[in-house]
Amino acid sequence: MNKQELKNKIIEAKKATNTVILAHTYQEPDIIDIADITGDSFFLSKKAAEIKAKRVVMCGVRFMAESVKILSPETETILPVATATCPMAEQIAPERVRKFKEENPETEVVAYINTTAALKAECDVCVTSSSAIKIVKKLQADEILFIPDQHLGSFVQKSIPEKKFIFWDGFCPVHAQLTKEDVLMCKAEHPDAVFAVHPESPKEVVELADMVGATSEIISYAKAQKGKVIIGTERGVVDYLAINEENGDRFIQLAPEKLCCEDMKKITLEDVYKAIIGEGGEKVELDEDLRKKALKSINRMLELG
């Protein structure tokens, strides 16, 4: 069976089983091609809740599938490849946060949405990379523990100097590889290009950017530019723009050998097909008490953001 035949079978199968396919922008172009909804992690979770899908195949990583279950407990949620996870989402142990809160009751714990359900359940509020500054500014506490990503936290801190921030040792293994030299080299090769970067990147990289933002914001910014754009985030964004925008060659991938998330690339068309017909994938389940605790931090994010 060739690739197009397999895509056709996936389309037939999802109609027959009333399945909605969600795909993160970092997925391979073939996966994006057969998805019903594409976007960043929280956008996908919200869309799943809005459309009230009975069955979802989440083409992303585990915390994204968990987010769908947190917001839509009645939705059957399937992760096509059980080992597709996010190292950053699992870097901070929930027990560590629980102990910290007991010892520091006046400090508010802010969790990046890229975290496990168990960690969300121990935090006061979740944030996305696009809403973090707005939400943290509204918090009553003068001291913030920002987890897990210290680089995103540092970016937020710069805009809120009146608050004290505490960071732990979390980071995105993909974005954290970027260096100042990577950017300067790429800028030298493309001196007429603007540079957009994700705030999960190190401070020395972010400081060189013309624009800093979440995945969806980078895409919007890149589309609005008339000339070349150097893009400093996972290569799925450039793949997406190259296919969906005119003059796709004007989007330049920064450090392509570094900015590739292996976990995001694990899912294949065959995995998706097997997940739809019930021969593969993992049905994601959450303990109801845990789900409700995690939902509180997400609901507070929606309230403040």
Side-chain angles (χ1 to χ4, degrees), residues 38-57:
T38 302
D40 59 20
S41 58
F42 190 62
F43 173 80
L44 294 175
S45 300
K46 287 198 298 181
K47 293 303 288 186
E50 288 171 11
I51 63 177
K52 301 188 186 305
K54 291 185 178 180
R55 191 163 182 263
V56 159
V57 170

Side-chain angles (χ1 to χ4, degrees), residues 171-192:
F171 58 90
C172 168
V174 175
H175 290 91
Q177 297 179 83
L178 290 176
T179 66
K180 181 178 180 179
E181 288 69 33
D182 290 329
V183 181
L184 294 177
M185 186 181 301
C186 195
K187 279 177 168 281
E189 294 174 1
H190 306 278
D192 55 339

Side-chain angles (χ1 to χ4, degrees), residues 254-273:
L254 175 67
E257 72 285 357
K258 294 181 178 180
L259 289 175
C260 180
C261 177
E262 292 182 4
D263 281 281
M264 279 289 189
K265 308 305 185 192
K266 284 183 176 179
I267 297 172
T268 66
L269 289 172
E270 186 175 357
D271 293 325
V272 176
Y273 180 63

Side-chain angles (χ1 to χ4, degrees), residues 268-288:
T268 66
L269 289 172
E270 186 175 357
D271 293 325
V272 176
Y273 180 63
K274 287 182 177 180
I276 294 173
I277 64 174
E279 293 183 1
E282 178 186 336
K283 185 177 177 181
V284 175
E285 303 282 7
L286 290 176
D287 174 81
E288 183 61 9

Side-chain angles (χ1 to χ4, degrees), residues 67-80:
S67 294
V68 172
K69 287 299 289 185
I70 291 169
L71 288 166
S72 307
E74 302 304 317
T75 300
E76 180 183 357
T77 305
I78 302 168
L79 183 64

Side-chain angles (χ1 to χ4, degrees), residues 20-233:
V20 174
I21 300 176
L22 306 181
H24 193 277
T25 314
Y26 293 172
Q27 291 289 298
E28 293 283 16
D30 285 331
I31 302 296
I32 299 290
D33 194 36
I34 49 87
D36 296 294
I37 303 172
T38 302
D40 59 20
S41 58
F42 190 62
F43 173 80
L44 294 175
S45 300
K46 287 198 298 181
K47 293 303 288 186
E50 288 171 11
I51 63 177
K52 301 188 186 305
K54 291 185 178 180
R55 191 163 182 263
V56 159
V57 170
M58 169 57 84
C59 297
V61 294
R62 180 169 296 278
F63 83 81
M64 298 176 187
E66 287 185 343
S67 294
V68 172
K69 287 299 289 185
I70 291 169
L71 288 166
S72 307
E74 302 304 317
T75 300
E76 180 183 357
T77 305
I78 302 168
L79 183 64
V81 176
T83 57
T85 185
C86 170
M88 177 171 64
E90 301 177 359
Q91 284 172 341
I92 306 295
E95 296 77 14
R96 184 181 177 189
V97 177
R98 194 179 309 132
K99 184 174 186 295
F100 176 88
K101 288 174 69 178
E102 290 171 358
E103 297 172 352
N104 302 273
E106 301 302 315
T107 302
E108 291 219 58
V109 182
V110 178
Y112 190 17
I113 196 75
N114 295 28
T115 49
T116 63
L119 189 56
K120 289 180 175 73
E122 299 296 338
C123 298
D124 296 304
V125 62
C126 282
V127 296
T128 64
S129 48
S130 58
S131 69
I133 293 173
K134 181 179 181 180
I135 289 173
V136 174
K137 278 184 176 180
K138 291 182 178 180
L139 298 180
Q140 297 280 323
D142 293 323
E143 187 170 272
I144 304 295
L145 171 62
F146 193 102
I147 56 174
D149 187 15
Q150 58 187 291
H151 297 304
L152 174 59
S154 176
F155 174 72
V156 174
Q157 180 184 38
K158 188 176 178 180
S159 296
I160 315 175
E162 65 273 19
K163 292 184 184 288
K164 179 185 177 183
F165 281 70
I166 300 169
F167 304 121
W168 285 350
D169 42 4
F171 58 90
C172 168
V174 175
H175 290 91
Q177 297 179 83
L178 290 176
T179 66
K180 181 178 180 179
E181 288 69 33
D182 290 329
V183 181
L184 294 177
M185 186 181 301
C186 195
K187 279 177 168 281
E189 294 174 1
H190 306 278
D192 55 339
V194 292
F195 173 43
V197 74
H198 199 285
E200 289 177 12
S201 306
K203 182 180 178 181
E204 63 174 12
V205 172
V206 171
E207 288 175 344
L208 294 172
D210 298 289
M211 178 270 175
V212 184
T215 301
S216 58
E217 293 172 326
I218 290 175
I219 290 173
S220 296
Y221 174 82
K223 286 180 177 180
Q225 305 308 304
K226 295 188 189 279
K228 293 181 180 181
V229 185
I230 299 169
I231 296 181
T233 192

